[in-house]
Amino acid sequence: DRIARRQDREFAEFRKRLKDNERFKLDDGAFDDATYAAIYKLVEDGYVGAFGGPISTGKEANVYEALDHDGGDVAVKVYRINASNFKQMRGYLEGDPRFEGIRGDKKAVVLSWTRKEFSNLQRAREAGVRVPEPIAVQRNVLVMELIGQEGDAAPTLNDVDVDNPETAYEVVREYIRRLYDAGLVHGDLSEYNLVVYDGELVVIDVGQAVTIHHNKHDEYLRRDCRNVANFFARQGADADPESLYDYVVEN
Ligand code: ADP
Ligand code: MN
């Protein structure tokens, strides 16, 4: 009992520290108490030490830089429980054998979505696709490798000059194919969800990625191929959506 009271007090202090942190003021109330509790658990478990600033504040999630307990860099993605587009999010869970029978309410959808991003990162990694290494997931909070350096997160492909579009295109083509061979379709692949760091292209934002069981997986794959091929064609590469699609699905 005394221990429980002490833990409550420590948690209250932790929450206050996070709330008072200037950098978190940007979150415009996205964090409910349960989200603070999830972050607290990640701190207690040693995955997160100190928080840095936000890298991105999006519609569904905010991404922060943080340090782990050894002073290594991590990225922390916090999904909004109050995501306004949770009905759309729910659609991306359909048919996925990993999330069969989950409840359809907002909270259940967002929590599954967070776990889905974690397990998609794992699966992509196993398939040989360069993605941030998944580190921990707690409720609506995902901890992963930070691509780039603390204070200097790596840019996305749309924000850099592409020196060698042919080579970069070949790499992304191979990523899409490997994902597909592993039964996954990214579903939101474009120059905005590819990070460039240290001569490497890193695929991010795999929360919406669906398995090939999803009844729209082919439509999503064609859309990914269109986005990617059109981007690289604009950069001067010999790329078109149909031949990219054919390359990905041929065995
Ligand atoms: P969303 O687009 O749904 O808001 P993303 O996962 O694409 O979420 O993350 C938003 C932005 O945060 C990305 O465009 C990228 O700039 C940055 N980001 C996300 N994950 C990482 C990471 N692991 N390392 C570095 N930057 C990241
Ligand atoms: Mn994104």
Side-chain angles (χ1 to χ4, degrees):
D1 222 47
R2 223 173 40 222
I3 292 174
R5 267 205 311 275
R6 200 191 68 215
Q7 281 172 342
D8 284 351
R9 201 174 57 235
E10 281 172 2
F11 171 61
E13 280 163 14
F14 173 79
R15 187 176 49 193
K16 184 165 186 318
R17 270 211 314 282
L18 272 188
K19 276 191 169 156
D20 291 347
N21 186 334
E22 267 311 310
R23 292 157 149 175
F24 277 90
K25 297 268 161 70
L26 284 165
D27 80 49
D28 56 52
F31 293 179
D32 59 348
D33 277 359
T35 300
Y36 283 108
I39 296 172
Y40 185 61
K41 177 82 165 66
L42 288 163
V43 171
E44 278 202 316
D45 290 348
Y47 295 112
V48 180
F51 262 89
I55 304 173
S56 157
T57 53
K59 203 155 42 95
E60 286 148 25
N62 292 352
V63 180
Y64 299 88
E65 293 182 336
L67 296 175
D68 65 18
H69 276 250
D70 305 321
D73 299 324
V74 291
V76 182
K77 187 167 182 178
V78 183
Y79 278 98
R80 294 173 201 287
I81 293 293
N82 268 316
S84 48
N85 55 338
F86 93 101
K87 286 195 177 127
Q88 244 168 296
M89 295 171 88
R90 188 165 58 196
Y92 280 83
L93 290 162
E94 264 163 35
D96 193 321
R98 297 169 299 179
F99 299 97
E100 244 165 51
I102 66 138
R103 297 196 322 273
D105 60 284
K106 214 173 242 196
K107 187 172 136 197
V109 166
V110 176
L111 301 198
S112 300
W113 184 271
T114 314
R115 279 185 22 241
K116 181 157 164 292
E117 174 147 32
F118 186 87
S119 77
N120 285 342
L121 286 172
Q122 267 175 333
R123 200 193 278 205
R125 220 171 126 78
E126 283 157 17
V129 176
R130 180 71 175 100
V131 291
E133 185 189 346
I135 296 170
V137 62
Q138 182 69 39
R139 213 171 166 274
N140 56 326
V141 184
L142 168 68
V143 183
M144 62 186 144
E145 173 191 0
L146 177 75
I147 307 301
Q149 273 157 2
E150 213 260 292
D152 192 18
T156 44
L157 186 58
N158 64 296
D159 257 343
V160 301
D161 294 320
V162 186
D163 302 331
N164 198 333
E166 289 290 346
T167 313
Y169 177 52
E170 266 174 45
V171 169
V172 177
R173 212 165 61 140
E174 190 59 31
Y175 286 168
I176 303 173
R177 185 176 159 125
R178 286 183 187 179
L179 283 177
Y180 189 72
D181 286 345
L184 280 183
V185 171
H186 186 289
D188 191 20
L189 196 60
S190 74
E191 62 274 27
Y192 299 98
N193 281 327
L194 286 158
V195 169
V196 188
Y197 183 59
D198 211 10
E200 269 192 316
L201 282 161
V202 185
V203 177
I204 61 162
D205 207 1
V206 296
Q208 74 293 314
V210 297
T211 64
I212 51 169
H213 308 91
H214 195 285
N215 64 357
K216 288 194 177 152
H217 78 273
D218 192 60
E219 183 187 315
Y220 296 157
L221 177 60
R222 285 177 193 275
R223 187 175 62 194
D224 285 354
C225 289
R226 209 159 51 232
N227 290 338
V228 167
N230 289 342
F231 171 78
F232 282 107
R234 287 197 302 276
Q235 305 295 314
D238 178 16
D240 74 273
E242 285 73 35
S243 54
L244 175 55
Y245 176 84
D246 291 343
Y247 176 80
V248 170
V249 300
E250 89 188 357
N251 26 40

